[in-house]
Amino acid sequence: MKKYSLLLFVALFASIAVGQQTQLMLKTMKNIVLETKNLSLVLTIEENKDVNMVYLGKKLQDHIEYRQLANQYKQGHDYTNMYQSAYTASGTRNLLEPAISVEHADGNQSLDLKFVDQQLRTLDNNRKELIIQLKDELYAFHVELHYLTNYEENVIEQWAVIKHNEKKNVKLIKYASANLSLKGEDFYLRSFHGDWIAEMQREDEKLTHGIKTLDSKLGTRTNLFRSSYFALGLDGSINEHEGTVLIGGLDWSGNFRVDFEKDPQDNLRVVAGINNYAAHYSLAPGVDFFTPKFSFTVSTNGLGDGSRNLHDWARKRRLIDGYGERYTVLNNWESTYFNFDEQKISHLLDNTKKLGVDLFLLDDGWFGNKYPRNADTSALGDWSENKSKLPNGLISIVKEASDKDVKFGIWVEPEMVSPKSELYEKKPNWVVKQPKREEYYFRNQLVLDLSNPEVQDFVFHILDELFQKNPGLAYVKWDCNAVIYNAHSFYQKDQNNFYVDYTKGLYQVLDRFRQKYPTVPMMLCSGGGGRIDYGSLQYFTEYWPSDNTDPFDRIFMQYENSLFFPAIASVNHVTTFGKQELKFKIDVAMMGKMGFDLNLEELTSEELKFAQQAVKTYDQYKHIIWHGDLYRLSDPRKDNHASIAYVNKDKSEAIMFNYLVQYGQVSKTPTPVRWYGLDPQKQYKIQEINLHDANSWIASDLILSGDFLMKIGLNPVLNNNRKSVVLTLKAIN
């Protein structure tokens, strides 16, 4: 009996001691709470001046209760007290993947960052920026952690500024933008891999202990094999309309690295930033090193809500004129390839007007004289009009386009050089290549060294001179087809700086262009989907998802891209690729910013009339597609069809795209597709549009309530005779 009394006393004493220790911890810790409309991110400043991240999720009503967070998690022992570090440094007591590693000027590789100060700035009525200053106690080495909250959109942008005042250069071994510490039951990752004409191939997996890494080492076209954008399920699954998910990525057009580490306590650490592969950056004293932004949102209502957050944020904060207008384009590439002259272009300008679109885009092949651009083997770098094809120069075409009430745009690939070019002969040291190794080409070309300011000036002047010499030029398609082989810069003193400075050099050119030409529409191409990120998209109005324009494949690519990027930015052209009928191709292209790459002479008179009418129809509804809320209603990777809807902000109009993706004798949609995002109190008149040589299978007088459509749904009646169906909803009350 005495033995049990003693045990009870010891247990009671231990309980009191733990309680006192917890209360002491709550008093000594200082919470920093960042909030958006629905989310909160909570950091703590520990007694020893460590900064930890303790929470990311739904915001609490009572701020005081954030103090109880630490007391509610009874997890395993943390040997280092650093598992939850907001920016994990290496070389002292850390045992996990670091966010930052350095080699000091004296060769020491340890770093221990301690809290110094914090500042909260209000940028406008929607955005606040938190800056946390950290410093090593032994070295003059500083890090600023930046957290920018977009209140209404529930998007957080995170980055770091690294600087030092040591006597010599410090080598940055790793320098991430973000270091998240996440709690959950099970973690599921949705990432995207691919290759040329096979972009955005989805892959879902459960994250287990260890490290899963998404990365790129290509230098340019860095999304060719792998996207830095991902979705992360935090409560055991990834679903469209329910569950907690984090979606986002690194806003950087160079090499990236995102690590997912499930730690010994079963929490998940996400470390995202520039890839430190072959890039141990040499940082001079007094120089600020800005890491790119890691932008993300957390949705507690599935992927769809997260996508709508990112879309609203991107239209407002990233894309040029994200809530504005766009040109509908006719491109000449599949009509002529490299084989054209002034007469053919004149005829294509007539076709542009006949089709009813806004702008004619002249693609590759218009430049080069000593080495004419008649194939992809020469002339990149020699940006003067080819005198055989264009004896009167671009200016005569721009003027003719204006006379025919058509806008004119031009294709360029200014980052690249052909070995067979005058530029290469004159400036061999402007080219990225190893000086004593055999050249290795990607699409018969090499990359110009944009880490070199002289090359930056050259690339800027390519664009500037086009606009100076051709007033009225209204559109640019910026391509980038090569990756970097044999990486070496004749300009850089330290080759470790090359990959980072190349991308920063690209941004400096684009920033300079945008300062002078802030509103010119510009397409980001990059051999298809090789460079789709919000680092580059802040300079562009739109992007080219893939050189694969087969509408069947594009359904999947455009569906997956919609997870991160709004429809107004996705350039979808109707082309000769694919064996589908013209209606199917146009219906797929309408999902975003529709355009054409067709030879109108190859269309029948009926097809031409349909295409002309489709342009007019698109003009009626494109404002909903571009500026409305996206709802993915049927997943083509799970169902035999894809259904995607756009609903305008006041829920008075909507448009629904439906495509059959599995063909067979009995392929059809046997059950209705359930809607989201409508007003349950409104009555909606339903109409099928884009009909071609067929009557609608949807009753012309069909009216359904938003309540019915969201609880029961609407069957688009897809089958082998109706492989694509576009429906509109219009509120009548």
Side-chain angles (χ1 to χ4, degrees):
M1 189 69 178
K2 291 181 180 180
K3 178 180 178 182
Y4 290 115
S5 298
L6 179 61
L7 289 174
L8 285 170
F9 174 78
V10 171
L12 178 62
F13 179 82
S15 175
I16 293 171
V18 169
Q20 290 174 341
Q21 185 179 19
T22 299
Q23 292 302 316
L24 178 63
M25 181 172 65
L26 290 176
K27 289 179 181 178
T28 56
M29 285 192 313
K30 179 180 179 182
N31 281 335
I32 303 174
V33 181
L34 283 172
E35 291 185 331
T36 68
K37 188 175 184 179
N38 300 323
L39 302 176
S40 62
L41 186 153
V42 182
L43 306 170
T44 62
I45 304 169
E46 308 291 343
E47 187 178 14
N48 67 353
K49 298 182 182 179
D50 283 352
V51 180
N52 288 339
M53 175 181 167
V54 296
Y55 182 74
L56 176 63
K58 285 185 177 181
K59 74 176 182 182
L60 304 181
Q61 293 181 358
D62 187 348
H63 264 236
I64 294 177
E65 292 195 314
Y66 286 116
R67 298 177 184 175
Q68 299 296 329
L69 284 168
N71 194 37
Q72 300 310 309
Y73 291 96
K74 308 295 184 182
Q75 298 185 310
H77 184 60
D78 178 350
Y79 297 95
T80 63
N81 293 318
M82 291 186 70
Y83 288 179
Q84 296 183 95
S85 174
Y87 200 67
T88 311
S90 68
T92 52
R93 66 189 194 275
N94 173 50
L95 300 175
L96 303 178
E97 183 64 30
I100 183 169
S101 298
V102 305
E103 182 179 309
H104 295 284
D106 63 3
N108 189 287
Q109 295 187 10
S110 68
L111 188 64
D112 194 10
L113 296 171
K114 298 296 185 181
F115 176 82
V116 176
D117 199 2
Q118 63 171 311
Q119 178 185 3
L120 184 64
R121 301 191 304 165
T122 299
L123 305 183
D124 53 43
N125 59 5
N126 188 54
R127 297 183 302 156
K128 291 183 178 180
E129 181 182 359
L130 170 69
I131 304 171
I132 296 178
Q133 297 177 14
L134 306 173
K135 183 186 178 301
D136 188 281
E137 293 180 327
L138 297 181
Y139 289 89
F141 191 93
H142 306 259
V143 174
E144 290 180 356
L145 301 182
H146 291 248
Y147 301 82
L148 194 158
T149 59
N150 297 266
Y151 186 85
E152 287 294 330
E153 298 81 24
N154 297 299
V155 171
I156 298 173
E157 305 167 45
Q158 187 174 346
W159 70 98
V161 180
I162 304 168
K163 48 193 170 184
H164 73 91
N165 291 303
E166 300 186 27
K167 293 182 179 180
K168 297 181 181 179
N169 286 13
V170 168
K171 187 167 287 186
L172 304 183
I173 308 299
K174 190 175 183 184
Y175 34 97
S177 298
N179 183 175
L180 304 181
S181 179
L182 306 173
K183 290 180 170 59
E185 297 178 9
D186 279 314
F187 302 98
Y188 282 81
L189 175 66
R190 175 167 294 176
S191 60
F192 301 89
H193 65 93
D195 202 341
W196 180 68
I197 70 170
E199 291 86 353
M200 292 302 286
Q201 303 298 308
R202 187 167 92 197
E203 198 164 56
D204 288 358
E205 60 188 301
K206 181 178 179 179
L207 292 174
T208 57
H209 290 87
I211 298 179
K212 167 75 177 183
T213 299
L214 310 178
D215 77 334
S216 175
K217 306 177 181 73
L218 304 180
T220 62
R221 294 190 68 186
T222 49
N223 289 319
L224 178 63
F225 297 150
R226 171 74 72 180
S227 174
S228 75
Y229 290 80
F230 62 89
L232 188 64
L234 304 183
D235 53 7
S237 62
I238 299 176
N239 295 302
E240 184 65 32
H241 306 295
E242 60 185 12
T244 302
V245 292
L246 181 153
I247 63 175
L250 191 69
D251 304 342
W252 177 247
S253 307
N255 294 341
F256 60 81
R257 175 175 170 179
V258 186
D259 295 316
F260 303 87
E261 181 176 23
K262 193 168 184 180
D263 71 18
Q265 293 183 336
D266 296 331
N267 301 320
L268 188 70
R269 304 171 71 255
V270 181
V271 180
I274 295 172
N275 198 335
N276 56 344
Y277 160 78
H280 292 173
Y281 198 89
S282 181
L283 183 64
V287 176
D288 288 358
F289 183 92
F290 287 78
T291 71
K293 292 179 178 178
F294 175 69
S295 302
F296 66 93
T297 185
V298 174
S299 164
T300 56
N301 297 304
L303 293 171
D305 198 39
S307 291
R308 290 184 287 277
N309 287 342
L310 283 180
H311 295 175
D312 285 343
W313 164 78
R315 285 186 290 248
K316 185 183 294 184
R317 298 295 175 194
R318 280 296 184 269
L319 297 175
I320 302 293
D321 197 20
Y323 280 104
E325 295 298 315
R326 296 291 187 269
Y327 293 134
T328 304
V329 171
L330 175 65
N331 195 359
N332 72 301
W333 181 244
E334 291 188 23
S335 300
T336 67
Y337 294 98
F338 294 99
N339 182 25
F340 58 83
D341 55 23
E342 284 185 346
Q343 186 176 356
K344 283 187 178 180
I345 294 172
S346 179
H347 184 60
L348 288 167
L349 291 174
D350 291 333
N351 283 350
T352 305
K353 187 66 177 177
K354 182 191 297 185
L355 185 57
V357 298
D358 306 304
L359 182 141
F360 171 73
L361 172 62
L362 180 61
D363 215 291
D364 196 357
W366 57 269
F367 52 93
N369 287 291
K370 181 178 179 180
Y371 303 106
R373 183 70 169 177
N374 295 324
D376 68 0
T377 55
S378 64
L380 287 176
D382 302 341
W383 299 100
S384 56
E385 297 98 319
N386 180 273
K387 295 176 182 177
S388 297
K389 296 178 181 179
L390 306 173
N392 297 301
L394 287 172
I395 186 64
S396 66
I397 304 172
V398 176
K399 184 178 184 305
E400 183 180 355
S402 178
D403 291 342
K404 294 178 177 179
D405 195 24
V406 169
K407 302 290 185 183
F408 181 81
I410 196 75
W411 177 96
V412 294
E413 193 174 3
E415 298 167 68
M416 304 300 160
V417 62
S418 300
K420 193 176 180 180
S421 68
E422 294 182 78
L423 179 66
Y424 186 81
E425 292 173 347
K426 294 175 182 176
K427 299 287 186 180
N429 286 354
W430 281 10
V431 178
V432 177
K433 61 176 183 175
Q434 290 288 344
K436 296 182 180 180
R437 297 190 184 277
E438 183 180 355
E439 292 176 359
Y440 193 75
Y441 306 130
F442 196 108
R443 199 177 182 247
N444 303 303
Q445 62 196 55
L446 293 166
V447 179
L448 291 174
D449 181 7
L450 280 177
S451 74
N452 184 338
E454 285 188 336
V455 179
Q456 295 171 23
D457 286 342
F458 171 78
V459 172
F460 170 76
H461 287 303
I462 289 170
L463 298 167
D464 189 36
E465 287 179 13
L466 279 171
F467 281 89
Q468 292 296 316
K469 292 179 179 179
N470 303 286
L473 185 63
Y475 186 91
V476 174
K477 177 182 177 182
W478 179 305
D479 215 339
C480 168
N481 283 290
V483 300
I484 293 176
Y485 293 126
N486 291 326
H488 176 85
S489 165
F490 290 93
Y491 169 78
Q492 292 285 343
K493 294 180 180 179
D494 190 330
Q495 295 301 316
N496 277 288
N497 288 21
F498 166 67
Y499 277 123
V500 173
D501 286 353
Y502 177 91
T503 304
K504 290 190 174 184
L506 169 66
Y507 290 164
Q508 286 167 1
V509 172
L510 289 167
D511 189 61
R512 189 174 171 188
F513 174 80
R514 278 304 178 198
Q515 287 181 24
K516 190 167 185 180
Y517 304 98
T519 60
V520 172
M522 190 155 65
M523 182 205 301
L524 174 61
C525 185
S526 195
R531 185 187 275 167
I532 305 176
D533 63 82
Y534 282 120
S536 57
L537 280 173
Q538 64 186 313
Y539 302 107
F540 291 81
T541 50
E542 54 222 59
Y543 69 88
W544 182 242
S546 177
D547 283 345
N548 181 352
T549 55
D550 185 310
F552 181 83
D553 293 335
R554 273 298 191 101
I555 289 169
F556 293 86
M557 294 176 185
Q558 292 165 197
Y559 184 95
E560 304 298 0
N561 274 325
S562 76
L563 185 59
F564 311 104
F565 309 107
I568 191 172
S570 179
V571 178
N572 309 332
H573 280 189
V574 181
T575 75
T576 58
F577 275 57
K579 298 179 180 179
Q580 300 86 355
E581 63 178 15
L582 184 62
K583 170 183 164 49
F584 190 93
K585 295 179 177 183
I586 288 176
D587 287 352
V588 172
M590 276 192 177
M591 283 170 63
K593 197 192 86 73
M594 183 174 70
F596 291 84
D597 202 334
L598 290 174
N599 185 344
L600 298 193
E601 277 69 34
E602 294 179 357
L603 301 181
T604 66
S605 59
E606 290 78 13
E607 287 175 328
L608 178 58
K609 288 178 182 178
F610 175 70
Q612 292 168 326
Q613 181 57 49
V615 171
K616 295 177 182 178
T617 301
Y618 181 66
D619 286 344
Q620 287 181 263
Y621 296 100
K622 63 187 181 184
H623 65 283
I624 306 173
I625 300 165
W626 294 351
H627 306 141
D629 291 329
L630 166 75
Y631 292 88
R632 291 178 292 265
L633 307 179
S634 294
D635 185 342
R637 298 193 188 278
K638 295 180 179 179
D639 303 318
N640 73 345
H641 62 284
S643 292
I644 297 168
Y646 300 90
V647 182
N648 69 355
K649 293 295 184 180
D650 66 6
K651 304 181 187 301
S652 63
E653 289 186 279
I655 186 166
M656 179 191 197
F657 296 94
N658 306 274
Y659 315 104
L660 198 66
V661 296
Q662 295 178 17
Y663 306 149
Q665 292 300 315
V666 293
S667 295
K668 61 180 180 179
T669 46
T671 57
V673 176
R674 190 150 61 96
W675 277 72
Y676 290 81
L678 301 176
D679 184 339
Q681 305 303 319
K682 292 185 185 295
Q683 298 287 318
Y684 293 94
K685 180 173 177 56
I686 298 159
Q687 180 183 3
E688 182 172 357
I689 62 172
N690 263 24
L691 288 163
H692 185 213
D693 296 335
N695 294 320
S696 175
W697 291 29
I698 306 297
S700 60
D701 58 351
L702 182 60
I703 296 173
L704 294 172
S705 69
D707 180 62
F708 181 94
L709 289 164
M710 291 191 291
K711 290 178 179 176
I712 306 299
L714 173 65
N715 196 322
V717 197
L718 290 167
N719 56 49
N720 285 330
N721 297 312
R722 285 167 54 83
K723 291 187 174 70
S724 66
V725 172
V726 183
L727 302 172
T728 63
L729 274 62
K730 188 173 182 62
I732 59 174
N733 63 332

